[in-house]
Amino acid sequence: MPQLRVALAQVNSTVGDVSGNARLTVAWVRKAREAGAHVVVFPEMSLTGYPVEDLSLRETFAQASRQAVDALARELAEAGCGDVLAYVGYLDQDEVGPRDAAAALYGGEVVARQYKHHLPNYGVFDEHRWFKAGQTLDVVRLHGLDIGMVICEDIWQEGGPVSALGEAGVDLVVSPNASPYERSKDDIRLPLVARRAAEAKAPLVYTNLVGGQDDLVFDGDSILVGADGILLGRAPQFTEHLLVVDLDLPGGGHAAEGEFHGLRVRRRVLGTEPVPAYEPGPEAPISEPLSDEAEVWNALVIGLRDYVQKNGFSSVIFGFSGGIDSAVTAALAVDALGPENVHGVSMPSKYSSEHSRSDAAELARRLGCHLRVEPVADMVDVYVKQLNLAGTGLAEENIQARTRGMLLMALSNLEGHLVLATGNKTELAVGYSTIYGDAVGGFAPIKDVFKTHVWALARWRNAEAEKRDETPPIPENSITKPPSAELRPGQLDTDSLPDYLLLDDILDDYVEGDRGYEDLIAAGFDAETIDRVIRMVDRAEYKRRQYPIGTKITFKAFGRDRRLPITNAWREGAQR
Amino acid sequence: MPQLRVALAQVNSTVGDVSGNARLTVAWVRKAREAGAHVVVFPEMSLTGYPVEDLSLRETFAQASRQAVDALARELAEAGCGDVLAYVGYLDQDEVGPRDAAAALYGGEVVARQYKHHLPNYGVFDEHRWFKAGQTLDVVRLHGLDIGMVICEDIWQEGGPVSALGEAGVDLVVSPNASPYERSKDDIRLPLVARRAAEAKAPLVYTNLVGGQDDLVFDGDSILVGADGILLGRAPQFTEHLLVVDLDLPGGGHAAEGEFHGLRVRRRVLGTEPVPAYEPGPEAPISEPLSDEAEVWNALVIGLRDYVQKNGFSSVIFGFSGGIDSAVTAALAVDALGPENVHGVSMPSKYSSEHSRSDAAELARRLGCHLRVEPVADMVDVYVKQLNLAGTGLAEENIQARTRGMLLMALSNLEGHLVLATGNKTELAVGYSTIYGDAVGGFAPIKDVFKTHVWALARWRNAEAEKRDETPPIPENSITKPPSAELRPGQLDTDSLPDYLLLDDILDDYVEGDRGYEDLIAAGFDAETIDRVIRMVDRAEYKRRQYPIGTKITFKAFGRDRRLPITNAWREGAQR
């Protein structure tokens, strides 16, 4: 049976860095060739990064991308890699408009180009805005084997382009992807790819992007599935990886040209000689998917690291309050950037408890990161006196939070660290934060993590450390003490909010599930609590709009995933 | 020739306020009936407001909208208006998904429903996300006349639904619209509607929404054009209005059912008796479109007023720096809300010039609004001493701006005014503002106005006042003095930025036109300035993300109109 060695280049591209991504591509094709691969498949838009958003509409960017893909074909040949068939993703543009494209490079030239057919326009995706859909399928015959390609969303379509390839007849389907991480998504991908392989009647190569881009993180998890649906190789999540798989293909080049499912199939012959028989390499690794908590932790670490580094920063600074949110943020930051790049600031006010200071100090000690103490009493005093804020409640409380925000920004201006906001998703949902206060920052690592989940992550990370005989990074007291903003004496979060277990349960239905009042009643919550929570969520929209971005890990993250008007008189349940 | 009196109800709906909008509809149908109208046409999604954004995906909201349209039909009949054919826009939902719909109400029931066919997904529109497209056209025969309808974007399509109606044969086409204002757009609408009327071979009724919704403002400018392209009536811009027009229609009910241009045309007969001959009313008014500056000024006033009032505020507060931006913002705010609802705060630091204080005082005097003085020296001092900021440049400068932001927020917390940010588009483009400082606010009225345009508006508004023998609101000195942030001694904007005339010219090409480096060179700008400006614009994306929303007046406003990644290594011209 004809043999073929296929490599999946699970790389971390940078949006907009066309020349850097091209250099990365050359390096990885070289690696693939050294590993003896005949075909190497990069992720969707690997040459431009993904998503490029409205850069897709910029003529000069599209031109640069088109030129880069042509130049890349030549460079690969010059680098002695012209005999490897390399699939790279890029931005194309023709008379119809911009295209989410993939090109097959071989022998110094672009031997096939194909445009994505199905353009997702839900969730975080605006692809009907960014691209025009393709209508053709380009099959190339290499070593007597017919190889078809489909891009990302195209494999999510039953009876779509993959089905057309199946009917035309191909020996292998390759698929460049950029599929953002969200919890439990990998449970969906494998059966999906297996179904499509069956539809194609051929093995399917699924290469996914890895790395962070603004609020998205791509987890890799590239897979290769046989025509029979059996998993033949799986790359680890959250790291760059070259997955090499040896295939035996029944093969023999039987692809037909013409119309299939309304799509035009074209074919180009590169070579008909089978690969000379060779000894297959060791079986490809099948990486175990990470546990749910490990997956989330890694997503948050990579999302933070790539945001910091791809934006030219090396260090971060934020408030160490002694609470759980800043403790988890600190542990993430140390995992992402190393302790020497993490700067904690303890900013006690007159309402700060003794434990808030000692827990902050203990956190820094465990992590080995920097900590300085900057009391805010003097600053707060000037405002309180000049504006007569004593006893005014909210106005006085907010002054403390905002003084801290200003202080962090001043230190950032002085020393060049990126400021992190430490708010969690629950807080952001109900507006339990001070805009221009604790909401200050360039990035918010845990903004998509519900409060109860923050605690679970803390426990998990500590347990991991114990397994490895390391010091658990998060002080036990930060996990167990009742949460408080400490903006007035004896204040507790539960003074203003329902219990977090209950609150997160409601938010899961209202925010993630987009459920209405009646559904929440049916789910067993009481009417008054539902009303209260819904009103808090609706009224906090203006705060969320000005909040920094942060890594999406859930089905529906605040931001481009959930687009609601600020001016919005709709109140769930007010009609009853 | 059969007669028909048609009313265009150019109303200001509120997003989400289904019951309030239903009451508004009843009141306006009543007015139309009192004016003798046989048909009344409301704007697109008049019952839900527009755009509802992701509320379209909320089941409960779609249900409420569907129920409201049915109830409205009954209420209109009960109110004695059952004999008026009323077209209202609403959100529908069927097994396919949510629909941007319009219903014809008559005799106590919904006699026709139609879904929008063409869903815009560019600029500020995400309609492929929010709706599914319709495939049918519903014609009703009233008084022996066949009336077809098309929704908004459908009339922008050559050979689209209007053409199908033309071939099926109709006597009149009605079109509910929600077309956001941008400069010079009305120059496009009239010829477009005229072309479509020719295609329909029938008069076309174009009713547009009026009022502000977050960053959009709808200008009204509803029009009725005859089959021959002649303008028969035009409503004034930026105000609610009932435009009543008498038509003589060659008529006679000749619409065919069936497939036209791939769309299914259905017909329902409500009545075949012509309207008894009546004496036509006075000719409908043809309002003159406003001058460019008047249009922009009105858009900014309405955008601000509706944001404030629809969000439950009545008053605003912001810094009076003595400069042109805060002066224009103040004049707008007084025009929008009245002087008693405008609270200026002069916040001098040690670098503030004498004229900055006197110009601020003069502004308040001319406008008759509130002004208080809150020096920031004591607050700034505490930070500067505690953090040793003296002589640190940016860190020290930002402290002043941020102290002012905190002060405004504290006064807002105390007194309940909405804080306005006074930044202009030029500043926002190049990042010449302090995040959490002068960028603080819930709304930014002039964020889409370039600096040179701010000056032009100031001159125009003063000239208008003079024409009306009123005091020009803006102190001459604020217009003529060289702009300065006054964050260090003798500072001028031109220390950090190119001359504003040149800068706005480049920004117009780079931001509005999405042009690249080579185009800018070809336009005659020098390479160094282009580089400098492009870098400033690209690097300021993170600041723009956290900036408050404000009224869109240009082709491409910052915000949902221009979606670029923060993490973005693409640099125009760096490839050369």
Side-chain angles (χ1 to χ4, degrees):
Chain A
M1 222 188 274
Q3 291 176 288
L4 197 72
R5 185 168 287 176
V6 176
L8 291 72
Q10 176 175 297
V11 297
N12 185 347
S13 298
T14 298
V15 162
D17 188 10
V18 177
S19 50
N21 295 334
R23 285 192 299 276
L24 176 95
T25 309
V26 173
W28 283 70
V29 174
R30 234 186 213 134
K31 270 195 230 184
R33 190 175 187 282
E34 281 158 17
H38 308 104
V39 177
V40 55
V41 183
F42 285 82
E44 184 178 9
M45 291 188 76
S46 53
L47 205 52
T48 53
Y50 182 91
V52 298
E53 306 192 40
D54 282 5
L55 279 179
S56 70
L57 311 176
R58 184 99 48 96
E59 297 267 354
T60 46
F61 186 66
Q63 273 168 25
S65 169
R66 282 171 57 86
Q67 285 165 5
V69 84
D70 290 331
L72 185 59
R74 292 191 299 273
E75 283 160 37
L76 287 174
E78 285 159 18
C81 299
D83 56 346
V84 178
L85 177 64
Y87 285 89
V88 300
Y90 73 108
L91 172 69
D92 205 330
Q93 192 187 38
D94 62 8
E95 60 292 348
V96 178
R99 309 285 200 162
D100 181 331
L105 314 182
Y106 187 78
E109 55 170 328
V110 177
V111 295
R113 288 173 204 273
Q114 185 174 310
Y115 306 145
K116 191 175 185 175
H117 298 241
H118 291 275
L119 302 173
N121 205 69
Y122 52 79
V124 300
F125 304 108
D126 287 327
E127 291 201 358
H128 275 281
R129 173 187 183 89
W130 297 327
F131 309 115
K132 298 293 175 188
Q135 298 293 333
T136 57
L137 291 165
D138 279 71
V139 174
V140 297
R141 180 178 298 189
L142 178 73
H143 299 305
L145 295 165
D146 279 355
I147 306 174
M149 65 170 137
V150 290
I151 303 172
C152 203
E153 189 83 359
D154 290 356
I155 65 160
W156 294 76
Q157 310 302 319
E158 190 88 39
V162 175
S163 181
L165 286 176
E167 287 179 29
V170 288
D171 299 303
L172 180 68
V173 177
V174 303
S175 179
N177 286 265
S179 174
Y181 171 72
E182 67 189 40
R183 284 178 85 179
S184 315
K185 203 175 189 183
D186 59 330
D187 301 349
I188 306 170
R189 278 186 205 137
L190 179 56
L192 174 86
V193 172
R195 278 203 305 282
R196 280 305 97 74
E199 222 180 11
K201 301 172 214 113
L204 204 154
V205 177
Y206 174 100
T207 306
N208 192 20
L209 192 63
V210 73
Q213 168 60 27
D214 284 355
D215 49 351
L216 301 183
V217 64
F218 299 88
D219 58 327
D221 190 29
S222 299
I223 47 187
L224 202 165
V225 170
D228 51 8
I230 290 181
L231 182 61
L232 301 175
R234 181 168 207 159
Q237 290 174 281
F238 301 108
T239 181
E240 291 194 306
H241 187 82
L242 188 78
L243 180 70
V244 180
V245 187
D246 277 309
L247 295 174
D248 292 314
L249 298 167
H254 45 284
E257 293 199 297
E259 286 267 321
F260 295 88
H261 285 246
L263 302 173
R264 191 153 60 92
V265 175
R266 299 184 297 204
R267 202 177 61 152
R268 170 148 179 188
V269 177
L270 303 177
T272 52
E273 268 313 290
V275 170
Y278 66 89
E279 190 61 39
E283 264 192 30
I286 296 190
S287 305
E288 274 297 306
L290 298 170
S291 72
D292 178 54
E293 302 301 10
E295 235 183 40
V296 169
W297 191 269
N298 273 279
L300 297 175
V301 166
I302 303 300
L304 172 58
R305 180 192 297 152
D306 276 1
Y307 185 84
V308 170
Q309 294 179 349
K310 289 181 178 180
N311 282 289
F313 290 91
S314 54
S315 56
V316 293
I317 190 167
F318 51 101
F320 276 26
S321 72
I324 186 66
D325 296 327
S326 57
V328 167
T329 303
L332 285 166
V334 166
D335 283 358
L337 306 165
E340 68 283 9
N341 292 314
V342 177
H343 298 258
V345 189
S346 168
M347 296 174 283
S349 77
K350 63 178 172 183
Y351 302 126
S352 297
S353 59
E354 186 45 44
H355 63 75
S356 73
R357 300 169 209 217
S358 57
D359 291 342
E362 175 63 13
L363 175 68
R365 198 192 58 75
R366 287 168 179 242
L367 291 171
C369 67
H370 307 274
L371 179 68
R372 80 183 90 186
V373 181
E374 292 288 353
V376 296
D378 293 349
M379 296 153 179
V380 171
D381 268 4
V382 191
Y383 286 97
V384 170
K385 280 187 192 131
Q386 184 167 330
L387 299 177
N388 291 314
L389 299 179
T392 58
L394 190 65
E396 189 182 5
E397 291 179 25
N398 281 340
I399 285 292
Q400 297 169 68
R402 293 196 175 117
T403 298
R404 292 183 178 125
M406 266 182 77
L407 219 147
L408 290 172
M409 290 305 295
L411 294 172
S412 167
N413 284 156
L414 281 178
E415 301 173 3
H417 319 299
L418 178 75
V419 176
L420 300 183
T422 62
N424 61 66
K425 187 170 192 171
T426 308
E427 211 172 276
L428 204 61
V430 296
Y432 194 67
S433 75
T434 301
I435 189 168
Y436 321 126
D438 51 295
V440 152
F443 197 77
I446 60 169
K447 78 175 276 196
D448 198 31
V449 185
F450 283 117
K451 185 79 175 186
T452 48
H453 194 193
V454 174
W455 277 308
L457 286 175
R459 291 207 176 83
W460 174 85
R461 182 64 186 79
N462 275 1
E464 286 297 296
E466 273 166 12
K467 276 190 215 163
R468 287 184 248 144
D469 277 333
E470 294 168 4
T471 312
I474 297 158
E476 191 57 26
N477 197 39
S478 296
I479 304 178
T480 52
K481 68 183 173 186
S484 165
E486 297 198 334
L487 295 175
R488 57 173 187 265
Q491 183 182 31
L492 289 179
D493 289 10
T494 44
D495 300 346
S496 318
L497 301 176
D499 176 82
Y500 277 115
L501 263 176
L502 172 63
L503 179 54
D504 283 356
D505 223 9
I506 298 180
L507 293 174
D508 190 54
D509 276 359
Y510 183 55
V511 176
E512 301 287 300
D514 231 345
R515 296 211 174 81
Y517 181 84
E518 294 302 332
D519 301 312
L520 292 167
I521 288 284
F525 302 112
D526 81 271
E528 201 193 329
T529 311
I530 298 172
D531 268 345
R532 197 171 141 216
V533 172
I534 284 180
R535 266 156 192 65
M536 283 193 288
V537 173
D538 290 350
R539 289 174 55 98
E541 184 58 29
Y542 80 98
K543 287 190 187 179
R544 287 190 288 270
R545 291 291 186 93
Q546 295 189 35
Y547 206 79
I549 62 166
T551 305
K552 166 186 163 77
I553 61 157
T554 68
F555 170 69
K556 190 174 286 194
F558 291 122
R560 58 179 141 180
D561 237 1
R562 184 178 188 268
R563 305 180 190 177
L564 285 174
I566 298 177
T567 304
N568 174 9
W570 175 248
R571 290 294 170 268
E572 285 293 337
Q575 301 73 43
R576 71 187 182 280
Chain B
M1 224 188 272
Q3 290 176 287
L4 197 72
R5 185 168 287 178
V6 177
L8 290 72
Q10 176 174 299
V11 297
N12 185 346
S13 298
T14 298
V15 161
D17 188 10
V18 176
S19 51
N21 295 334
R23 285 193 298 276
L24 176 94
T25 310
V26 173
W28 283 71
V29 174
R30 234 188 213 133
K31 269 195 230 184
R33 190 175 188 280
E34 280 159 17
H38 307 105
V39 176
V40 55
V41 184
F42 285 82
E44 184 178 11
M45 292 189 75
S46 53
L47 205 51
T48 52
Y50 183 90
V52 298
E53 306 191 41
D54 282 5
L55 279 178
S56 70
L57 311 175
R58 184 98 49 93
E59 298 267 353
T60 46
F61 185 66
Q63 273 166 27
S65 168
R66 282 172 58 84
Q67 285 164 6
V69 84
D70 291 330
L72 185 60
R74 291 191 301 272
E75 282 160 38
L76 286 174
E78 283 159 18
C81 299
D83 56 345
V84 178
L85 177 63
Y87 285 88
V88 299
Y90 73 108
L91 172 67
D92 205 330
Q93 192 187 38
D94 62 8
E95 60 292 348
V96 178
R99 308 286 200 161
D100 181 331
L105 314 183
Y106 186 78
E109 54 169 326
V110 176
V111 295
R113 288 174 204 272
Q114 185 174 310
Y115 306 145
K116 191 175 186 176
H117 297 241
H118 291 275
L119 302 173
N121 206 68
Y122 52 79
V124 299
F125 304 108
D126 287 328
E127 292 202 357
H128 275 282
R129 172 187 184 90
W130 297 327
F131 308 114
K132 298 293 175 189
Q135 297 293 334
T136 58
L137 291 164
D138 280 70
V139 174
V140 295
R141 180 178 298 188
L142 178 73
H143 298 306
L145 295 165
D146 279 355
I147 306 174
M149 64 170 137
V150 289
I151 303 172
C152 203
E153 189 83 359
D154 290 356
I155 65 161
W156 294 75
Q157 310 301 318
E158 190 88 38
V162 174
S163 181
L165 286 175
E167 286 180 29
V170 288
D171 299 304
L172 181 67
V173 176
V174 303
S175 179
N177 286 265
S179 174
Y181 171 72
E182 66 189 42
R183 283 178 87 179
S184 315
K185 202 175 187 183
D186 59 330
D187 301 348
I188 306 170
R189 278 186 204 137
L190 179 57
L192 175 86
V193 172
R195 278 204 305 282
R196 280 304 97 74
E199 221 179 13
K201 301 173 213 115
L204 204 153
V205 177
Y206 174 100
T207 306
N208 192 19
L209 192 63
V210 72
Q213 168 60 27
D214 284 356
D215 49 351
L216 300 184
V217 64
F218 299 88
D219 58 327
D221 190 30
S222 299
I223 46 187
L224 204 165
V225 169
D228 51 7
I230 290 181
L231 181 61
L232 302 174
R234 182 167 208 160
Q237 290 174 281
F238 301 108
T239 181
E240 290 193 307
H241 187 82
L242 188 78
L243 179 70
V244 179
V245 187
D246 277 308
L247 295 174
D248 291 314
L249 298 168
H254 47 284
E257 293 199 295
E259 288 266 323
F260 296 88
H261 285 246
L263 302 173
R264 191 153 60 91
V265 175
R266 299 185 298 204
R267 201 177 60 151
R268 172 148 177 187
V269 177
L270 303 176
T272 52
E273 267 313 292
V275 171
Y278 66 88
E279 190 60 39
E283 262 191 32
I286 296 188
S287 305
E288 275 296 307
L290 298 170
S291 72
D292 177 53
E293 302 301 9
E295 234 184 40
V296 169
W297 191 269
N298 273 279
L300 298 175
V301 166
I302 301 301
L304 171 58
R305 180 192 297 151
D306 276 2
Y307 185 85
V308 170
Q309 295 179 348
K310 290 181 177 178
N311 282 289
F313 290 92
S314 53
S315 55
V316 293
I317 190 167
F318 52 100
F320 277 26
S321 71
I324 187 65
D325 296 328
S326 58
V328 167
T329 303
L332 286 166
V334 166
D335 284 357
L337 306 165
E340 68 282 9
N341 292 314
V342 176
H343 297 258
V345 190
S346 168
M347 296 174 283
S349 76
K350 64 178 172 183
Y351 302 127
S352 298
S353 59
E354 186 46 44
H355 64 74
S356 74
R357 299 168 210 217
S358 57
D359 291 342
E362 174 64 12
L363 175 68
R365 196 192 61 74
R366 286 167 179 241
L367 292 170
C369 67
H370 307 274
L371 179 69
R372 80 183 90 187
V373 181
E374 292 288 353
V376 296
D378 293 350
M379 297 154 178
V380 171
D381 268 4
V382 190
Y383 285 97
V384 170
K385 280 187 190 133
Q386 183 167 329
L387 298 177
N388 292 315
L389 299 179
T392 58
L394 190 64
E396 188 182 7
E397 291 178 26
N398 281 340
I399 284 292
Q400 298 168 66
R402 294 197 175 114
T403 298
R404 293 182 177 126
M406 266 182 78
L407 219 147
L408 291 172
M409 289 305 294
L411 294 172
S412 167
N413 284 156
L414 281 177
E415 301 173 2
H417 319 299
L418 179 74
V419 176
L420 300 183
T422 62
N424 62 65
K425 187 171 193 171
T426 307
E427 210 172 277
L428 203 62
V430 296
Y432 194 67
S433 74
T434 301
I435 188 168
Y436 320 127
D438 52 295
V440 152
F443 198 78
I446 59 168
K447 78 177 276 196
D448 199 31
V449 185
F450 283 118
K451 185 79 175 186
T452 47
H453 193 193
V454 174
W455 277 308
L457 286 175
R459 291 206 178 85
W460 174 85
R461 182 66 185 79
N462 275 1
E464 285 297 296
E466 274 166 11
K467 277 190 215 161
R468 288 184 249 144
D469 276 332
E470 294 167 5
T471 312
I474 297 158
E476 191 57 27
N477 197 37
S478 295
I479 303 178
T480 51
K481 67 183 173 185
S484 164
E486 297 197 336
L487 295 175
R488 58 174 186 262
Q491 183 181 31
L492 289 179
D493 289 9
T494 43
D495 299 345
S496 319
L497 302 176
D499 177 82
Y500 278 115
L501 263 176
L502 172 63
L503 179 54
D504 283 357
D505 222 11
I506 298 180
L507 293 174
D508 190 55
D509 275 358
Y510 184 55
V511 176
E512 301 287 300
D514 232 346
R515 297 213 173 80
Y517 181 83
E518 294 302 333
D519 301 312
L520 292 167
I521 289 284
F525 301 112
D526 81 271
E528 201 193 329
T529 311
I530 298 171
D531 268 346
R532 195 169 144 219
V533 172
I534 284 180
R535 266 155 191 66
M536 283 193 287
V537 173
D538 291 350
R539 290 174 55 98
E541 183 58 29
Y542 80 99
K543 288 190 186 178
R544 287 189 288 270
R545 292 289 186 95
Q546 295 189 35
Y547 206 78
I549 62 167
T551 304
K552 166 185 164 77
I553 60 156
T554 67
F555 171 68
K556 189 175 286 195
F558 291 121
R560 58 178 141 180
D561 237 1
R562 185 178 187 267
R563 305 180 190 176
L564 285 174
I566 298 177
T567 305
N568 174 8
W570 175 248
R571 291 293 170 270
E572 284 294 336
Q575 301 72 43
R576 72 186 181 281

